[in-house]
Amino acid sequence: MAESIGADDPETLTDRAYRMVEELIVTLALPPETILSEQSLAARLGIGRTPIREALQRLARDGLVVILPRRGILVSQINLKTQMRLLEVRRELERLMAKGAAERATPEETAHFAAIARDMRRASDESDDITFMRLDRQFNELVSAAARNEFASRAMGLMHGLSRRFWYQHYRESGDLPLSARLHAEVAEAIATRNPDAAGKASDRLIDYIESFTRKTIAA
């Protein structure tokens, strides 16, 4: 039976379909080059085909799926060179958005950043990859909202899913989940305490780690 959403729930069925399918792709439950079907996804997730179709169109804009006319919908491949080019842009945008969030976040948002930081540290202590992935998505969405810069948010939205999927594919061989979670927590804590300079520096440390991780992956 399709999921229902209450009148006070800001998440639409399309938003929910997008979130659920993105998680399946990012965690490699739907590996690269998997052929996707609206009907099978609708049955798997308990959501109607129209929200699934709209979610797949958004995922195509994000680069996580490829829509091939008359051939179907495929989960996109993971490309190492693309990941390095993506990181060049991420460094500048993430620093800008972290500082902006520290300056402009509402009291409710700063409290949410503090909660995410606590949960990130718990995920670090427990090496909990799925919880970390979900917190990372929440963190990215909260930074995008709190920064109050729609242009930077749109640009970053195109990168987050690709980045999380790349990390999930390779972190067991080349990554350090506890360190990554702690570095995310440091950014969240700096924003929560409204310290733009600390947020920018913490963001750079996080990207330093991600670049190092990516280079190790390429060299492996």
Side-chain angles (χ1 to χ4, degrees):
M1 182 171 63
E3 294 184 56
S4 61
I5 294 180
D8 60 347
D9 190 336
E11 185 180 52
T12 67
L13 278 174
T14 297
D15 291 336
R16 187 168 299 184
Y18 174 87
R19 172 174 54 81
M20 296 173 76
V21 177
E22 192 220 37
E23 181 170 303
L24 290 173
I25 293 173
V26 166
T27 60
L28 304 178
L30 294 172
E33 299 190 343
T34 299
I35 299 174
L36 302 180
S37 154
E38 292 176 10
Q39 183 175 355
S40 62
L41 285 172
R44 180 172 183 169
L45 302 179
I47 297 177
R49 291 183 63 175
T50 297
I52 293 290
R53 183 181 305 116
E54 293 170 350
L56 289 171
Q57 290 170 350
R58 286 173 56 181
L59 290 163
R61 290 195 294 271
D62 292 350
L64 287 170
V65 305
V66 180
I67 298 175
L68 303 172
R70 297 181 297 279
R71 293 179 56 191
I73 302 170
L74 299 178
V75 177
S76 64
Q77 296 181 347
I78 298 175
N79 186 297
L80 297 175
K81 292 181 180 179
T82 297
Q83 183 67 15
M84 291 304 297
R85 293 196 299 272
L86 181 153
L87 286 174
E88 292 178 5
V89 180
R90 271 190 67 184
R91 176 179 292 277
E92 303 304 321
L93 279 177
E94 293 214 2
R95 184 193 308 115
L96 172 71
M97 293 177 69
K99 294 175 73 172
E103 293 170 349
R104 302 173 189 136
T106 66
E108 182 180 3
E109 287 168 339
T110 57
H112 194 178
F113 276 114
I116 286 176
R118 289 193 297 271
D119 290 343
M120 278 286 191
R121 290 194 178 278
R122 187 177 302 114
S124 172
D125 293 341
E126 298 174 0
S127 295
D128 185 341
D129 57 352
I130 296 297
T131 296
F132 168 72
M133 296 288 288
R134 291 173 177 166
L135 288 169
D136 183 47
R137 190 175 192 279
Q138 292 176 33
F139 171 74
N140 291 335
E141 291 175 350
L142 187 58
V143 170
S144 290
R148 306 292 190 273
N149 186 322
E150 68 273 26
F151 301 104
S153 295
R154 288 174 191 167
M156 279 305 306
L158 298 174
M159 305 180 203
H160 285 147
L162 291 170
S163 296
R164 285 198 302 276
R165 182 175 63 159
F166 183 89
W167 180 86
Y168 193 86
Q169 183 188 41
H170 295 288
Y171 86 91
R172 290 179 180 84
E173 299 83 27
S174 306
D176 185 335
L177 187 153
L179 174 59
S180 180
R182 288 197 303 274
L183 290 170
H184 278 82
E186 289 175 6
V187 182
E189 287 161 352
I191 296 172
T193 57
R194 296 187 176 281
N195 190 329
D197 288 339
K201 291 175 182 176
S203 178
D204 280 343
R205 288 194 297 273
L206 174 59
I207 297 298
D208 285 343
Y209 162 73
I210 295 172
E211 284 186 353
S212 174
F213 159 71
T214 303
R215 293 185 189 282
K216 287 179 183 177
T217 299
I218 293 172

